[in-house]
Amino acid sequence: MPSLSEETNGAATTLQAGASIGIVGGGQLGQMMAIAARYQGFGIEVLDPGSPCSAAQVADRQIVAEYADADAIARLADHNDVLTYEFENVDADTLDAVRARVAIPQGTDLLRVTQHRIAEKTFINNHGIATAPWRPVHNRAELATALGELGYPAVLKTAQGGYDGHGQIVLRTPEDMERVWQDAEFPECVLEGFVDFAYEASILVSGNGSDYVTFPVVRNIHRHNILHMTVATSDVDARIAEAARDLALTLARGFALAGTLAIELFVLENGEVLVNELAPRPHNSGHYTIEACDFDQFALHVQGVTGQPMPQPRLLSDAVMVNVLGQHVDRVRHAAAEHPDWHVHDYGKQERRTNRKMGHITVLTDNVERTIGELEATGCWDD
């Protein structure tokens, strides 16, 4: 488990248009972040090993290098007035090495917490916020003890490196132990007890290090452990909305958050809200905000890391967002011609692969259930 410093936020002084932002990571989140920054008059440089990467298509410059390349990070720091990151698989030590040369408002404690599930769950619980029951496990004996306490079914997750279902083993019966690593290869893990939730949800919170605002609670639908669809509607139970907002603000204050933080949730049948995971940056489930809110998650991320005031975003229309994966691209491109109401986002990725996120579609609506049915009826997302 990582050790954390007392300082969590390297807040920048307020930056004006004409300043330059360095983004570590060049995927679609970096691309949409760069577009939002460009609208606000900022220059953009991106660091990513892929060339060309999605974010570089809208940036002034790209440094082609690995995320942990200390010399490349130092060049990025020297070229820009502030650094930000678009995803959590960034080397925190490499960023710490340039903290004296450039502001990194998100800080690196936020990275370290969200990179490590034990640190993350400990941080959440220490702030009085509930999660699914969990235990740290480091070998098969500890796993057996944890299963005795939490029971079946349960999910074994590596403490670091997992995403979209990778690094997870679902344990439903004792026979599933055959799929678990032997002690010689056993990574640091957490075991989570299953939660009987009504639905999965998420909430975004953005801040500038001292002031924080939240986006609406949205409902998320996953397929094969990958986000398939996000439903944003003003018709959310007031108790659930208030509970999610309160925990989001508590976590934001705990991190002295600058930028956008995504919080994935479980909503139980009784209305209780549990935190599942955190993401220290804009999130797939927040893409609907580009069209459906007066300020989107990327704009407020940029405003937060550049020290701007934080406006409270408003949902202007109910909306449905659906991901476009590699296997969906051809069907979506064909169907889009017949659906002018679709807001189509293509990330410009050169290589198409099954289950790779290639874009998304957002539809504004006055009837989300009807719109969900219409989207599914196109057959674009059939397996």
Side-chain angles (χ1 to χ4, degrees), residues 10 12 15 19-23 76-77 80-84 102-105 305-306:
L15 298 180
S20 186
I21 300 173
I23 303 175
L76 191 71
N80 296 281
D81 299 292
V82 63
L83 297 190
T84 185
V102 65
I104 307 177
V305 300
T306 58

Side-chain angles (χ1 to χ4, degrees), residues 113-130:
V113 167
T114 55
Q115 285 175 342
H116 196 281
R117 285 192 169 100
I118 296 175
E120 180 178 88
K121 292 179 183 300
T122 300
F123 185 92
I124 294 166
N125 292 158
N126 284 348
H127 282 79
I129 298 168

Side-chain angles (χ1 to χ4, degrees), residues 50 55 72 78 101 110 118 138 155 178 182 191-192 226 249 255 267 283 303 316 367 372 382:
D78 290 341
R101 302 163 77 158
L110 177 62
I118 296 175
H138 301 84
V155 185
E178 297 177 4
Q182 296 300 316
L191 183 74
E192 294 181 11
I226 300 172
L249 292 174
F255 285 119
V267 179
H283 191 259
Q303 288 182 212
L316 302 178
N367 187 320
I372 291 169
D382 291 348

Side-chain angles (χ1 to χ4, degrees), residues 227-303:
L227 180 65
H228 168 57
M229 182 178 288
T230 293
V231 179
T233 174
S234 55
D235 186 23
V236 175
D237 184 289
R239 295 175 305 145
I240 293 169
E242 182 179 6
R245 181 178 182 274
D246 287 349
L247 68 85
L249 292 174
T250 296
L251 292 171
R253 294 185 187 107
F255 285 119
L257 177 70
T260 293
L261 172 72
I263 305 167
E264 297 182 52
L265 307 168
F266 294 130
V267 179
L268 307 190
E269 291 287 356
N270 64 3
E272 184 180 1
V273 179
L274 308 182
V275 172
N276 179 23
E277 292 183 347
L278 307 178
R281 36 73 179 174
H283 191 259
N284 193 172
S285 68
H287 292 347
Y288 77 95
T289 62
I290 297 172
E291 284 84 23
C293 294
D294 56 346
F295 290 90
D296 67 61
Q297 64 166 341
F298 301 100
L300 291 196
H301 179 83
V302 171
Q303 288 182 212

